Amino acid sequence: MELFFLSGVILFAFIVSLSVVFLLYHKSYASHPNLPRGKMGLPFIGESLEYLSTGRKGHPEKFFYDRMAKFSSVVFKTSIFGEPVAVMCNTAGNKFLYSNENKLVTAWWPSSVNKIFPSSLQTSSNEESKKMRKMLPNFMKPEALQRYVGIMDTIARRHFEAGWEGKQEVTVFPLAKNYTFWLACRLFLSIEDPKHVAKFADPFTVLASGILSIPIDLPGTPFNRAIKASKVIKKELRAIIKQRKIDLAENKACPTQDILSHMLLASDENGQFMTEMDIADKILGLLIGGHDTASAAVTFVVKYLAELPEIYNEVLKEQMEIAKSKKPGELLNWDDIQKMKYSWNVACEVMRLAPPLQGAFREAINDFVFAGFSIPKGWKLYWSANSTHRNPEYFPEPEKFDPSRFEGNGPLPYSYVPFGGGPRMCPGKEYARLEILVFMHNVVKRFNWEKLLPDEKIIVNPLPIPAKGLPVRLIPHIA
């Protein structure tokens, strides 16, 4: 009887506590007048589960379009990852966020990101990102990337010889990840031995799937596995860094051969050099950014070219003209890339319909008003690529695949945002263009292909990927 009574008291206290939390939760949001319309969901978790669920069901845009239809096509409020969020839904919202970086808003990541990518300097992911953006332009600007085209083509040829040629069927997404990760390892770390690359490729897959998972650090959860994978990768990176320091000291490595050498030799304004741990942090972020989004993009290029033979034929025509202009064994160069105009329009249309970067968060650093609504300091803001990419106001017949949208002046400003925009536009945009076009050149000049699963589902976790990895039947060209 006493146990029953005690259980009843505990249950009653829990219900009362939950009710108080619920009331305070809603009161805290009601204290600001004229907030955007919307709903905040449950205490603590908000609408996180529905946000993640629509992505995993293959329709990430549904979360946004349902609320745009119910509340506002300009801005609505919700709660994601335990934070109040104002979601910007149109080009005016994108322009506002991109134009007010470090004035009214600043970059923000869920706390889970800082736990998966803990900085050795105890600074936030936001601060680390700012440092990287100062460092990257010298490596990622077009004139610097020109010398990488031949290296990319060499890696692509080796990739297709090892993973595609002689096969009747392949699964595209794992191969695409191998290709982009191999490129990133070669260009950032000068690692090109496939066995060495493979040594820490698998942990990256685990890491990527846990970045935007529910941050529950219990054994077996995606979040817990991602934290463990981050530690494994950093351990391997530190071993690579130690060896490079020795090679540089013995003149066995070139100071300008890759980003790793630059990081080891560069000092800040106070003459301080980065520690091995700090460099490992930054290289880890680069490897994630340098291969995950591009692997999703090239996978969807293969998907759409399989579904649209007329588009495939035009890409093949353009690429074969380039191939026929080359001597036997001659690698692609920068001029060849500039001739791939139609192929790039196709890739852009692929990224409109399946944006690798679904969107990004910001944080309000001051109170401000947008579209007549109050946005309190500390609130998070989110821009979604799908909100504009599939909006008929900006892209007539948005479900139609039409590369001509990118001819001439292209889409309206701030409507096409696969790489973000403003000061925080992806610094690797041009790098991604090269690796996508080099892949397209090498795949279409070798094969045509057919999808083995015509109705394969697409899931978003956190990148869009075919649920079964896009298995295809290869049809080699007859020489």
Side-chain angles (χ1 to χ4, degrees):
M1 179 65 73
E2 289 181 359
L3 181 61
F4 178 79
F5 177 75
L6 181 60
S7 299
V9 171
I10 293 172
L11 180 61
F12 177 76
F14 175 75
I15 292 172
V16 170
S17 299
L18 194 62
S19 300
V20 171
V21 167
F22 188 80
L23 290 171
L24 292 174
Y25 175 79
H26 284 275
K27 185 178 179 182
S28 67
Y29 296 136
S31 62
H32 294 276
N34 203 32
L35 294 172
R37 294 177 61 215
K39 60 179 182 177
M40 307 306 287
L42 298 170
F44 304 118
I45 63 173
E47 296 191 291
S48 302
L49 296 179
E50 190 171 353
Y51 168 73
L52 294 170
S53 174
T54 54
R56 290 185 177 135
K57 290 177 180 177
H59 302 284
E61 71 279 2
K62 186 178 187 309
F63 180 87
F64 303 100
Y65 280 123
D66 285 354
R67 286 154 184 76
M68 288 167 65
K70 186 174 183 179
F71 301 118
S72 170
S73 61
V74 178
V75 57
F76 66 83
K77 70 180 178 184
T78 182
S79 176
I80 302 175
F81 303 125
E83 300 283 350
V85 181
V87 178
M88 306 299 208
C89 307
N90 60 8
T91 55
N94 289 345
K95 180 179 180 180
F96 181 89
L97 289 180
Y98 301 157
S99 303
N100 284 287
E101 187 75 39
N102 299 321
K103 300 173 188 174
L104 297 175
V105 301
T106 188
W108 178 83
W109 286 270
S111 59
S112 58
V113 175
N114 284 325
K115 290 178 181 177
I116 293 173
F117 299 104
S119 169
S120 60
L121 299 181
Q122 302 303 309
T123 54
S124 68
S125 295
N126 187 21
E127 290 301 316
E128 293 301 299
S129 178
K130 288 179 182 178
K131 293 177 184 177
M132 282 304 304
R133 286 173 180 276
K134 292 179 180 178
M135 183 179 297
L136 280 177
N138 289 334
F139 291 92
M140 295 299 184
K141 56 188 178 184
E143 48 269 38
L145 288 170
Q146 291 185 28
R147 67 179 185 269
Y148 298 154
V149 176
I151 296 172
M152 287 182 167
D153 194 25
T154 299
I155 297 293
R157 293 180 183 197
R158 293 173 62 185
H159 166 77
F160 279 96
E161 288 169 3
W164 297 64
E165 292 179 2
K167 308 281 199 312
Q168 291 184 327
E169 298 176 359
V170 297
T171 304
V172 176
F173 184 58
L175 288 171
K177 288 195 295 183
N178 290 346
Y179 163 72
T180 56
F181 193 64
W182 195 351
L183 278 182
C185 286
R186 170 60 184 84
L187 296 173
F188 300 161
L189 300 169
S190 296
I191 296 172
E192 51 185 306
D193 176 9
K195 292 181 180 178
H196 197 173
V197 172
K199 188 174 181 179
F200 59 122
D202 288 342
F204 267 89
T205 301
V206 176
L207 180 60
S209 65
I211 290 175
L212 291 183
S213 60
I214 300 294
I216 300 174
D217 190 7
L218 293 175
T221 62
F223 183 65
N224 177 266
R225 291 197 299 267
I227 291 174
K228 290 181 177 178
S230 175
K231 292 177 181 177
V232 169
I233 296 165
K234 283 190 179 182
K235 182 178 179 181
E236 177 66 19
L237 286 174
R238 287 197 297 272
I240 294 169
I241 292 165
K242 287 180 184 296
Q243 184 60 49
R244 177 62 61 83
K245 289 176 77 172
I246 295 170
D247 291 345
L248 284 169
E250 297 177 354
N251 293 320
K252 294 179 180 178
C254 175
T256 59
Q257 73 183 48
D258 55 27
I259 290 178
L260 175 56
S261 284
H262 177 76
M263 287 183 176
L264 283 166
L265 298 173
S267 60
D268 62 18
E269 59 272 15
N270 298 318
Q272 297 294 313
F273 292 89
M274 285 187 281
T275 66
E276 292 178 8
M277 288 285 288
D278 193 22
I279 293 172
D281 290 340
K282 290 178 171 55
I283 292 290
L284 175 57
L286 275 179
L287 289 172
I288 283 285
H291 100 285
D292 261 15
T293 52
S295 60
V298 297
T299 298
F300 278 91
V301 166
V302 173
K303 173 186 181 293
Y304 281 105
L305 291 184
E307 296 170 351
L308 302 163
E310 69 282 4
I311 303 293
Y312 170 88
N313 288 334
E314 288 300 312
V315 172
L316 176 63
K317 179 182 176 182
E318 180 176 79
Q319 295 296 344
M320 289 310 295
E321 286 179 1
I322 293 169
K324 289 173 182 175
S325 71
K326 312 296 288 184
K327 298 175 183 176
E330 184 182 355
L331 297 171
L332 290 173
N333 57 42
W334 183 255
D335 290 338
D336 297 323
I337 296 294
Q338 305 315 113
K339 296 173 184 175
M340 300 181 187
K341 291 182 170 58
Y342 181 79
S343 296
W344 183 239
N345 287 347
V346 169
C348 288
E349 181 69 342
V350 166
M351 289 187 286
R352 180 185 72 82
L353 290 167
L357 179 64
Q358 295 289 297
F361 289 96
R362 299 287 188 271
E363 181 176 19
I365 52 180
N366 291 296
D367 291 345
F368 62 83
V369 175
F370 173 74
F373 294 106
S374 300
I375 308 296
K377 178 181 178 180
W379 268 47
K380 308 308 179 279
L381 302 106
Y382 185 79
W383 62 265
S384 163
N386 281 306
S387 294
T388 55
H389 284 196
R390 292 176 180 265
N391 190 328
E393 182 180 346
Y394 311 123
F395 297 97
E397 298 183 84
E399 300 304 318
K400 180 182 178 182
F401 192 96
D402 183 6
S404 69
R405 301 179 197 274
F406 297 90
E407 295 175 356
N409 293 327
L412 288 171
Y414 304 103
S415 64
Y416 179 68
V417 289
F419 299 100
R424 299 199 59 78
M425 178 178 282
C426 174
K429 175 183 176 181
E430 191 64 23
Y431 172 84
R433 185 175 81 97
L434 292 187
E435 62 182 335
I436 292 169
L437 288 174
V438 169
F439 179 92
M440 290 176 73
H441 175 81
N442 277 277
V443 73
V444 300
K445 78 175 185 179
R446 286 174 170 80
F447 308 106
N448 200 338
W449 54 88
E450 299 171 345
K451 290 169 61 178
L452 291 175
L453 301 174
D455 300 317
E456 186 176 4
K457 179 183 173 184
I458 304 302
I459 58 175
V460 178
N461 185 32
L463 305 174
I465 56 173
K468 302 296 183 181
L470 191 63
V472 299
R473 179 180 295 108
L474 298 176
I475 307 168
H477 295 311
I478 299 173

